[in-house]
């Protein structure tokens, strides 16, 4: 596992976007695993800019998102489908049908859908303050596949900012890729910015796989995992 520390979230986003753009240039039919949340936004913005400047096409690219709330209509302003459309998909030339999100309907088949596309080339991850990746909350079994999960109270609290600050408006359940699904990606990049992520990053840096901090499953993979941090998220490991 490699840790890279950047001056700020913009330079982090640019570095990771260059990596994603390089993959798509080299493999036009790449399969991307994508994340929502505030952490990947600078990366998506930089990727759009690079793609436009360099004329990189995403026509053959397939995407699989990590997670989605249960019970929100597809076009709800806070659904992860809406987020992705707004922050990335609508600004690039993806084909219709290129995007996949886990749902209660497809969750039993989601891992096979990924396999049938040849597997995920790069999986982008954020991390929750409690160490969750996707919506795999503490104590999720390390061998989990795509499944329905009950959100931790702390996660609903963290995400209330997207729902007008009202925790009661935050769905109680979500469908998420499992930890084993995530670990199956050929390459994994995790983004953490801000002081509130420093504690979880310290646990990840300690290198011991511990179900109480789900992201630590990444330490089971010595190769192909890069952690992108800003100075604040890295403050306890320096
Ligand atoms: C959300 C998402 C995760 C994301 C995390 C961090 O709940 N399900 O995929 O990584 O929380 O969010 P943020 O980047 O906004 O801090």
């Amino acid at each position: 596992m490699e840790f890279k520390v950047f001056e700020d979230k913009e330079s982090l986003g640019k570095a990771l976007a260059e990596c994603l753009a390089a993959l798509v240039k080299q493999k036009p039919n790449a399969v991307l695993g994508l994340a929502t949340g505030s952490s990947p936004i600078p990366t998506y913005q930089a990727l759009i800019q690079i793609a436009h400047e360099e004329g990189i096409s995403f026509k053959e690219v397939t995407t699989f998102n990590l997670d989605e709330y249960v019970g929100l209509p597809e076009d709800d302003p806070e659904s992860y489908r809406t987020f992705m459309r707004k922050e990335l998909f609508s600004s690039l030339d993806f084909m219709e049908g290129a995007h996949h999100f886990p749902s209660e309907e497809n969750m039993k088949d989601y891992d096979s859908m990924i396999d049938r596309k040849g597997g995920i080339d790069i999986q982008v991850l954020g991390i929750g303050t409690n160490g969750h990746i996707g919506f795999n909350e503490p104590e999720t079994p390390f061998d989990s596949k795509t499944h329905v999960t009950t959100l931790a109270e702390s996660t609903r609290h963290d995400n209330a900012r997207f729902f007008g600050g009202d925790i009661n408006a935050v769905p109680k359940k979500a469908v998420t890729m499992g930890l084993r699904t995530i670990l199956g990606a050929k390459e994994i990049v995790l983004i953490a910015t801000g002081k509130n992520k420093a504690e979880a990053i310290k646990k990840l840096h300690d290198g011991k796989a511990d179900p109480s901090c789900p992201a630590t499953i990444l330490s089971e993979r010595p190769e192909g995992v890069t952690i992108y941090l800003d100075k604040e998220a890295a403050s306890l490991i320096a």
Side-chain angles (χ1 to χ4, degrees):
M1 197 155 47
E2 189 189 351
F3 288 78
K4 291 187 177 179
V5 183
F6 295 85
E7 200 54 41
D8 49 45
K9 55 187 179 191
E10 285 72 28
S11 50
L12 182 165
K14 193 163 178 285
L16 181 49
E18 277 164 4
C19 201
L20 295 172
L23 169 71
V24 175
K25 273 204 271 192
Q26 182 223 329
K27 186 179 178 190
N29 64 346
V31 179
L32 304 180
L34 298 176
T36 52
S38 45
S39 307
I41 290 180
T43 301
Y44 295 156
Q45 287 173 343
L47 182 59
I48 293 165
Q49 195 181 339
I50 296 169
H52 289 174
E53 281 168 6
E54 299 188 21
I56 303 168
S57 174
F58 283 68
K59 274 197 175 112
E60 293 177 55
V61 172
T62 302
T63 68
F64 286 91
N65 260 78
L66 272 174
D67 47 18
E68 178 59 285
Y69 290 114
V70 168
L72 289 189
E74 218 180 292
D75 58 354
D76 187 281
E78 293 313 329
S79 79
Y80 284 169
R81 283 173 190 269
T82 302
F83 174 99
M84 290 306 302
R85 221 174 8 249
K86 186 165 150 258
E87 302 297 341
L88 187 69
F89 297 161
S90 63
S91 301
L92 296 172
D93 63 343
F94 287 105
M95 298 295 273
E96 225 183 290
H99 309 306
H100 305 278
F101 288 77
S103 66
E104 287 183 299
E105 288 71 39
N106 71 11
M107 67 182 183
K108 289 208 167 67
D109 199 33
Y110 204 63
D111 292 47
S112 320
M113 286 160 67
I114 294 171
D115 291 344
R116 286 199 293 274
K117 284 283 175 191
I120 288 174
D121 291 301
I122 292 191
Q123 176 65 57
V124 177
L125 298 174
I127 184 169
T129 51
N130 65 359
H132 74 218
I133 48 176
F135 268 134
N136 292 281
E137 299 288 21
E139 308 309 333
T140 302
F142 278 0
D143 62 355
S144 52
K145 297 192 164 178
T146 302
H147 63 284
V148 173
T149 179
T150 300
L151 301 184
E153 204 54 21
S154 63
T155 297
R156 294 182 64 235
H157 181 269
D158 286 349
N159 289 3
R161 67 188 196 278
F162 298 112
F163 291 83
D166 177 11
I167 190 169
N168 296 313
V170 184
K172 293 196 164 82
K173 290 189 182 291
V175 186
T176 180
M177 279 187 199
L179 293 171
R180 193 52 60 189
T181 320
I182 292 170
L183 217 63
K186 291 168 199 159
E187 209 182 316
I188 298 173
V189 291
L190 183 146
I191 308 165
T193 53
K195 229 186 168 46
N196 60 334
K197 304 293 171 70
E199 199 63 52
I201 292 303
K202 184 178 182 310
K203 288 185 187 153
L204 181 57
H205 190 257
D206 287 347
K208 195 174 142 286
D210 172 3
S212 73
C213 181
T216 60
I217 192 177
L218 300 178
S219 60
E220 286 190 358
R221 272 266 304 256
E223 299 292 325
V225 179
T226 310
I227 313 299
Y228 284 72
L229 305 170
D230 71 355
K231 282 182 161 173
E232 292 186 334
S235 58
L236 298 179
I237 63 168

